[in-house]
Amino acid sequence: MLSLDLDIYETIVFAVIFGFSQDGDSVFSGSQNYLAKKAKCSRSKIAMVLPELVKKGLVEKIDKEVRGL
């Protein structure tokens, strides 16, 4: 993970997401609030980190409809 050239928040968020999806079938479906708590940062910071991880090809965003939204 250290060789991926990530900042500290990207590293923490990636590690949390990776921990939920190691088996290849599971996905992380937690909230930005959960990630912010784990990374000890604000939710707005998480909102900036997640698109960076997607752009770097480290995570894939899957949109899912919940209660009509």
Side-chain angles (χ1 to χ4, degrees):
M1 223 177 284
L2 296 176
S3 64
L4 295 174
D5 194 32
L6 304 174
D7 73 20
I8 188 66
Y9 296 107
E10 291 170 339
T11 302
I12 294 168
V13 171
F14 180 64
V16 171
I17 292 171
F18 182 78
F20 280 89
S21 55
Q22 289 183 47
D23 65 6
D25 291 324
S26 302
V27 296
F28 175 77
S29 59
S31 67
Q32 288 186 5
N33 287 334
Y34 178 82
L35 292 172
K37 191 174 191 180
K38 290 296 183 183
K40 295 184 176 24
C41 66
S42 66
R43 200 173 128 239
S44 61
K45 180 67 176 175
I46 297 299
M48 293 187 303
V49 166
L50 289 173
E52 284 300 311
L53 293 175
V54 171
K55 188 164 79 172
K56 292 177 180 182
L58 297 172
V59 298
E60 179 183 349
K61 180 180 178 186
I62 301 170
D63 291 320
K64 178 172 95 171
E65 187 175 313
V66 177
R67 290 185 231 134
L69 300 174

